Amino acid sequence: MNPKSNFILFSFLCLGLFLSGCQEVLQVREIKMGHALVTSHPVHEAMVFLAKRVEEKSDGKLQIKVYPNQQLGTERELLELLQIGSLGMTKVSAAALEGFAPTMQVFGMPYLFRDDAHQKRVLDGPIGKQLLLDPEKYWLRGLCYYDGGKRSFYSKEKPIESPADLKGLKIRVMESNMATNMVRAMGGSPTPVAYGELYSALQQGIVDGAENNPPSLYTSKHYEICKFYSIDEHTVLPDVVLISTKVWESLSDEEQRWVQEAADESSELQYKIWAESTENSLRALEKAGVQISYPDKSKFREGVSSMYEQMKIEQPEIYKIIEAIQGVD
């Protein structure tokens, strides 16, 4: 074989290897995952872990890229992007799902769970699993729960020791009918503000206070403005990791297994991280000069009792879920 023929053969071999390499590259699939929290938040760490486990399980063939801090939109906007398949995954508070999946309203009921163990039994059991799948009819599939902590009031001017202290105060709430009804039932003035805009809203006096869990109060730096934190723990809202049904249905059975397994593993990790973060955040808040108090919860429970009666009359199907949750031993 002459040199020219050798060169042509070598060129074809190189081309073949190049095309083979391109095929391998083309086989890599990326899913975008957006959320509203800052990168220092413990929930973000769990999502990064989820992405890492998917990449490991798939040998790099399936990858998840996490976009934090509302880079891709607010929680509501992220859910809308999931519905049309423009975004693959997200993590939102259960409260943000109320307008998309009605049964998720149940989590917004104040003082729904007796304690942490009761909540975990509900979420890990048949009721929790069914609630994850209920949004499928709205093109949203729940994969797992993250611990969203216990929400309590924080304020600028005075501690909130009872519902009476909320009178005349504008309290930031999520875009949630349940949160709005709760603050109103306690005597406050509920004011919806996007989480990413809350710091400036507190600064400018648009709102007088807000309600959230210790890690969120600390990582958001709202404590720089609000020096009173009243641990009444009125709601225990889980976070929900979701995938667009359009994206989910486009995955093979194996790819779906990788994603679900990684989500479940990230949930286990997140619960551990959250417990540590809550303790560390409370210590850091005290060190930063925040006055932390533990008011009598019975007064707050009394303040929202009307919400249960209203739910029983107006939304009996949701009330049945509430009764089922309360009946879990």
XYZ file of all heavy atoms in Angstrom, residues 202-263:
501
model
N -38.422 45.002 53.951
C -38.256 45.245 55.388
C -37.533 46.572 55.618
O -37.912 47.362 56.484
C -37.479 44.093 56.027
C -38.228 42.766 56.179
C -37.253 41.626 56.443
C -39.261 42.847 57.298
N -36.499 46.802 54.839
C -35.724 48.046 54.950
C -36.595 49.274 54.729
O -36.509 50.267 55.462
C -34.593 48.049 53.922
C -33.271 47.519 54.412
C -32.187 47.720 53.360
O -32.439 47.657 52.150
N -30.969 47.950 53.807
N -37.433 49.198 53.700
C -38.231 50.350 53.283
C -39.535 50.502 54.063
O -40.283 51.454 53.842
C -38.530 50.244 51.789
C -37.284 50.307 50.916
C -37.545 49.847 49.487
O -38.697 49.779 49.055
N -36.483 49.514 48.757
N -39.817 49.566 54.952
C -41.034 49.650 55.743
C -42.282 49.206 55.019
O -43.402 49.461 55.485
N -42.120 48.526 53.895
C -43.282 47.992 53.180
C -43.964 46.937 54.049
O -45.187 46.796 54.045
C -42.859 47.397 51.818
C -42.316 48.514 50.920
C -44.017 46.670 51.141
C -41.678 48.016 49.642
N -43.150 46.187 54.802
C -43.673 45.241 55.784
C -42.953 45.478 57.113
O -41.831 45.991 57.150
C -43.504 43.773 55.338
C -44.395 43.450 54.160
C -42.049 43.462 54.994
N -43.613 45.081 58.207
C -43.059 45.262 59.549
C -42.379 44.002 60.065
O -41.679 44.047 61.082
C -44.169 45.652 60.528
C -44.910 46.904 60.074
O -44.236 47.936 59.878
O -46.146 46.842 59.913
N -42.626 42.910 59.389
C -42.053 41.651 59.831
C -42.394 40.550 58.837
O -42.992 40.799 57.783
N -42.001 39.335 59.186
C -42.242 38.194 58.309
C -42.286 36.938 59.169
O -42.286 37.013 60.406
C -41.153 38.101 57.237
N -42.313 35.784 58.541
C -42.291 34.528 59.291
C -41.526 33.495 58.476
O -41.697 33.385 57.266
C -43.707 34.065 59.626
C -44.736 34.131 58.506
C -44.796 32.855 57.676
O -44.877 31.777 58.265
O -44.743 32.946 56.434
N -40.632 32.792 59.172
C -39.832 31.778 58.494
C -39.083 30.955 59.540
O -39.168 31.210 60.737
C -38.859 32.414 57.494
C -38.712 31.580 56.234
O -38.688 30.356 56.296
N -38.618 32.238 55.083
N -38.313 29.992 59.054
C -37.541 29.122 59.934
C -36.177 29.742 60.247
O -35.743 30.685 59.562
C -37.367 27.748 59.272
C -36.844 27.878 57.857
O -35.738 28.342 57.634
N -37.652 27.502 56.876
N -35.463 29.250 61.270
C -34.178 29.846 61.658
C -33.120 29.894 60.549
O -32.497 30.955 60.346
C -33.729 28.970 62.839
C -35.004 28.497 63.439
C -35.921 28.254 62.274
N -32.873 28.800 59.792
C -31.849 28.895 58.745
C -32.165 29.949 57.680
O -31.263 30.632 57.189
C -31.826 27.484 58.143
C -32.281 26.601 59.249
C -33.345 27.397 59.940
N -33.439 30.085 57.337
C -33.813 31.079 56.320
C -33.662 32.495 56.858
O -33.220 33.399 56.140
C -35.248 30.848 55.849
O -35.365 29.613 55.165
N -34.018 32.700 58.123
C -33.832 34.025 58.723
C -32.355 34.393 58.740
O -31.989 35.537 58.445
C -34.395 34.035 60.145
C -34.136 35.301 60.986
C -34.632 36.549 60.279
C -34.789 35.168 62.362
N -31.519 33.417 59.032
C -30.083 33.712 59.118
C -29.443 33.897 57.746
O -28.741 34.889 57.512
C -29.370 32.604 59.888
C -27.891 32.876 60.061
C -27.457 33.948 60.839
C -26.929 32.102 59.420
C -26.104 34.231 60.976
C -25.572 32.374 59.551
C -25.167 33.437 60.332
O -23.832 33.725 60.464
N -29.664 32.961 56.831
C -28.998 33.044 55.523
C -29.496 34.222 54.690
O -28.763 34.750 53.856
C -29.181 31.738 54.719
O -30.586 31.471 54.552
C -28.525 30.558 55.422
N -30.734 34.649 54.913
C -31.279 35.799 54.175
C -30.764 37.132 54.713
O -30.919 38.168 54.080
C -32.810 35.797 54.275
O -33.207 35.994 55.622
N -30.180 37.090 55.926
C -29.690 38.282 56.626
C -30.807 39.249 57.022
O -30.560 40.425 57.291
C -28.623 39.006 55.801
C -27.383 38.155 55.551
C -26.272 38.948 54.893
C -25.021 38.078 54.719
N -23.899 38.818 54.116
N -32.035 38.738 57.084
C -33.135 39.589 57.539
C -32.953 40.001 58.995
O -33.537 40.990 59.438
C -34.474 38.851 57.367
C -34.824 38.566 55.944
N -35.817 37.676 55.570
C -34.308 39.058 54.777
C -35.898 37.632 54.258
N -34.991 38.457 53.751
N -32.138 39.241 59.732
C -31.870 39.568 61.137
C -31.134 40.904 61.277
O -31.111 41.496 62.357
C -31.045 38.454 61.793
C -29.655 38.304 61.232
C -28.595 39.064 61.735
C -29.390 37.419 60.196
C -27.310 38.939 61.214
C -28.115 37.287 59.672
C -27.081 38.048 60.178
O -25.815 37.926 59.660
N -30.536 41.374 60.192
C -29.884 42.684 60.245
C -30.903 43.795 60.461
O -30.560 44.879 60.952
C -29.101 42.926 58.949
C -27.922 41.968 58.764
C -27.199 42.173 57.436
O -27.754 42.877 56.560
O -26.103 41.611 57.270
N -32.152 43.526 60.095
C -33.227 44.513 60.224
C -34.196 44.116 61.337
O -34.640 44.960 62.112
C -33.996 44.648 58.886
C -33.020 44.944 57.746
C -35.072 45.729 58.983
C -33.627 44.799 56.379
N -34.510 42.833 61.406
C -35.475 42.336 62.394
C -34.742 41.734 63.583
O -34.079 40.702 63.460
C -36.388 41.288 61.758
S -37.421 41.938 60.429
N -34.862 42.369 64.728
C -34.123 41.949 65.921
C -34.968 41.165 66.926
O -34.516 40.876 68.023
C -33.525 43.181 66.610
C -32.438 43.869 65.790
C -31.252 42.925 65.516
C -30.141 43.627 64.758
N -29.001 42.695 64.481
N -36.209 40.820 66.532
C -37.076 40.048 67.425
C -37.563 38.788 66.704
O -38.144 38.880 65.616
C -38.272 40.891 67.877
C -37.878 42.145 68.612
C -37.800 43.363 67.943
C -37.569 42.111 69.964
C -37.439 44.518 68.605
C -37.198 43.272 70.644
C -37.128 44.471 69.967
N -37.334 37.646 67.316
C -37.728 36.370 66.725
C -38.525 35.594 67.774
O -37.988 35.206 68.815
C -36.492 35.583 66.299
C -36.752 34.401 65.392
C -37.853 34.350 64.551
C -35.859 33.333 65.354
C -38.068 33.272 63.706
C -36.055 32.249 64.507
C -37.166 32.223 63.685
O -37.374 31.142 62.846
N -39.801 35.375 67.487
C -40.706 34.713 68.432
C -40.995 33.294 67.944
O -41.700 33.111 66.954
C -42.013 35.506 68.564
O -41.733 36.854 68.913
N -40.478 32.310 68.641
C -40.585 30.919 68.187
C -41.952 30.351 68.565
O -42.105 29.652 69.577
C -39.449 30.057 68.781
C -38.084 30.722 68.580
C -39.471 28.665 68.165
C -37.653 30.821 67.133
N -42.955 30.643 67.749
C -44.292 30.088 67.977
C -44.544 28.853 67.108
O -45.488 28.108 67.353
C -45.367 31.141 67.693
C -45.439 31.505 66.219
O -44.420 31.976 65.669
O -46.504 31.312 65.599
N -43.712 28.658 66.084
C -43.746 27.458 65.224
C -45.164 27.155 64.729
O -45.683 26.054 64.878
C -43.164 26.269 65.969
C -41.704 26.476 66.371
C -41.103 25.304 67.115
O -41.845 24.577 67.807
O -39.870 25.122 67.011
N -45.765 28.157 64.090
C -47.166 28.026 63.674
C -47.386 27.055 62.514
O -48.417 26.395 62.452
C -47.764 29.397 63.334
C -46.882 30.264 62.494
N -46.133 31.287 63.033
C -46.612 30.267 61.165
C -45.470 31.893 62.064
N -45.736 31.290 60.926
N -46.460 27.006 61.581
C -46.624 26.042 60.480
C -45.328 25.267 60.244
O -44.235 25.785 60.443
C -47.038 26.718 59.150
O -46.207 27.865 58.914
C -48.487 27.140 59.164
N -45.525 24.026 59.825
C -44.399 23.146 59.500
C -44.573 22.760 58.036
O -45.192 21.755 57.708
C -44.380 21.896 60.403
C -43.158 21.046 60.104
C -44.397 22.299 61.865
N -44.060 23.607 57.166
C -44.238 23.424 55.723
C -43.049 22.684 55.123
O -41.929 23.197 55.141
C -44.355 24.786 55.035
C -45.701 25.493 55.075
C -45.546 26.930 54.656
C -46.702 24.785 54.176
N -43.256 21.505 54.574
C -42.130 20.841 53.913
C -41.806 21.523 52.591
O -42.659 22.190 51.994
C -42.650 19.422 53.671
C -44.130 19.581 53.558
C -44.494 20.708 54.491
N -40.583 21.374 52.161
C -40.224 21.742 50.798
C -40.463 20.522 49.915
O -40.419 19.377 50.389
C -38.747 22.143 50.705
C -38.497 23.540 51.253
O -39.458 24.320 51.333
O -37.349 23.850 51.599
N -40.719 20.753 48.644
C -41.005 19.655 47.724
C -40.079 19.758 46.511
O -39.986 20.811 45.890
C -42.475 19.680 47.245
C -42.777 18.438 46.409
C -43.431 19.755 48.438
N -39.389 18.666 46.214
C -38.565 18.588 45.007
C -39.443 18.028 43.897
O -40.057 16.968 44.050
C -37.341 17.678 45.226
C -36.539 17.537 43.928
C -36.451 18.242 46.334
N -39.519 18.756 42.789
C -40.420 18.395 41.693
C -39.677 18.285 40.369
O -38.655 18.929 40.163
C -41.518 19.444 41.541
C -42.432 19.669 42.738
C -42.511 21.147 43.055
C -43.822 19.122 42.477
N -40.260 17.482 39.490
C -39.770 17.388 38.125
C -40.953 17.595 37.177
O -42.081 17.187 37.482
C -39.084 16.020 37.869
C -38.414 16.005 36.492
C -40.063 14.856 38.011
C -37.479 14.821 36.274
N -40.711 18.247 36.079
C -41.747 18.429 35.064
C -42.171 17.060 34.528
O -41.335 16.223 34.205
C -41.198 19.288 33.921
O -42.019 19.190 32.774
N -43.473 16.817 34.453
C -43.924 15.526 33.915
C -43.494 15.367 32.457
O -43.261 14.251 31.990
C -45.459 15.385 34.005
O -46.082 16.481 33.317
C -45.923 15.358 35.448
N -43.377 16.484 31.748
C -42.931 16.410 30.349
C -41.491 15.897 30.283
O -41.127 15.117 29.406
C -43.046 17.787 29.683
C -44.475 18.310 29.580
C -44.527 19.673 28.924
C -45.931 20.262 28.928
N -46.895 19.467 28.167
N -40.662 16.337 31.229
C -39.275 15.863 31.280
C -39.229 14.435 31.810
O -38.518 13.582 31.278
C -38.415 16.798 32.160
C -37.014 16.232 32.362
C -38.336 18.186 31.526
N -40.001 14.154 32.861
C -40.016 12.823 33.464
C -40.404 11.750 32.441
O -39.771 10.700 32.354
C -40.998 12.815 34.637
C -41.167 11.487 35.312
C -42.194 10.595 35.147
C -40.290 10.889 36.279
N -42.019 9.495 35.946
C -40.851 9.641 36.649
C -39.089 11.280 36.863
C -40.255 8.790 37.585
C -38.478 10.440 37.793
C -39.061 9.211 38.144
N -41.432 12.030 31.677
C -41.911 11.058 30.688
C -40.950 10.889 29.518
O -41.023 9.890 28.795
C -43.298 11.469 30.186
C -44.383 11.308 31.254
C -45.666 12.030 30.920
O -45.759 12.592 29.797
O -46.579 12.037 31.774
N -40.048 11.841 29.336
C -39.056 11.730 28.265
C -37.845 10.886 28.695
O -37.014 10.535 27.864
C -38.584 13.120 27.822
O -37.729 13.692 28.801
N -37.764 10.586 29.997
C -36.646 9.788 30.513
C -36.938 8.306 30.359
O -38.091 7.867 30.427
C -36.419 10.102 31.996
C -36.067 11.545 32.375
C -35.974 11.669 33.896
C -34.762 11.985 31.730
N -35.897 7.536 30.181
C -36.054 6.081 30.151
C -36.325 5.587 31.572
O -36.160 6.337 32.551
C -34.784 5.428 29.620
O -33.708 5.619 30.534
N -36.752 4.322 31.708
C -36.995 3.755 33.031
C -35.741 3.839 33.895
O -35.814 4.125 35.096
C -37.440 2.296 32.914
C -38.828 2.155 32.303
O -39.545 3.170 32.237
O -39.182 1.035 31.901
N -34.601 3.592 33.286
C -33.338 3.629 34.017
C -33.022 5.049 34.480
O -32.607 5.267 35.626
C -32.202 3.105 33.140
C -30.872 2.973 33.874
C -29.779 2.384 33.000
O -29.723 2.731 31.791
O -28.981 1.587 33.515
N -33.243 6.020 33.607
C -32.981 7.419 33.960
C -33.924 7.878 35.080
O -33.514 8.595 36.002
C -33.135 8.308 32.730
C -32.011 8.132 31.709
C -32.290 8.845 30.399
O -33.478 8.982 30.025
O -31.324 9.252 29.737
N -35.184 7.453 35.009
C -36.130 7.787 36.064
C -35.672 7.205 37.396
O -35.776 7.860 38.442
C -37.527 7.254 35.715
C -38.208 8.002 34.581
C -39.573 7.429 34.244
O -39.991 6.395 34.789
N -40.280 8.081 33.332
N -35.156 5.979 37.358
C -34.674 5.338 38.592
C -33.498 6.111 39.172
O -33.429 6.325 40.385
C -34.276 3.884 38.299
C -33.737 3.139 39.514
C -33.547 1.662 39.201
N -32.689 1.453 38.041
C -31.361 1.510 38.056
N -30.717 1.808 39.180
N -30.652 1.279 36.961
N -32.573 6.554 38.311
C -31.421 7.333 38.775
C -31.891 8.607 39.497
O -31.410 8.922 40.584
C -30.525 7.734 37.601
C -29.798 6.610 36.946
C -29.441 5.415 37.496
C -29.346 6.575 35.588
N -28.788 4.641 36.571
C -28.712 5.329 35.396
C -29.398 7.476 34.519
C -28.140 4.962 34.171
C -28.831 7.120 33.307
C -28.207 5.876 33.135
N -32.822 9.310 38.876
C -33.291 10.585 39.428
C -34.028 10.364 40.752
O -33.796 11.080 41.733
C -34.200 11.317 38.421
C -34.850 12.539 39.064
C -33.400 11.741 37.184
N -34.925 9.358 40.784
C -35.695 9.113 42.005
C -34.792 8.666 43.154
O -34.940 9.137 44.293
C -36.778 8.058 41.750
C -37.709 7.833 42.939
C -38.512 9.065 43.292
O -39.334 9.520 42.505
N -38.291 9.617 44.477
N -33.863 7.781 42.875
C -32.939 7.320 43.912
C -32.090 8.474 44.452
O -31.889 8.597 45.662
C -32.030 6.220 43.366
C -32.710 4.874 43.171
C -31.770 3.824 42.595
O -30.608 4.167 42.259
O -32.193 2.660 42.474
N -31.599 9.300 43.552
C -30.772 10.443 43.965
C -31.588 11.422 44.800
O -31.095 11.981 45.787
C -30.194 11.140 42.739
N -32.849 11.629 44.414
C -33.723 12.527 45.175
C -33.951 11.984 46.590
O -33.868 12.728 47.572
C -35.055 12.704 44.449
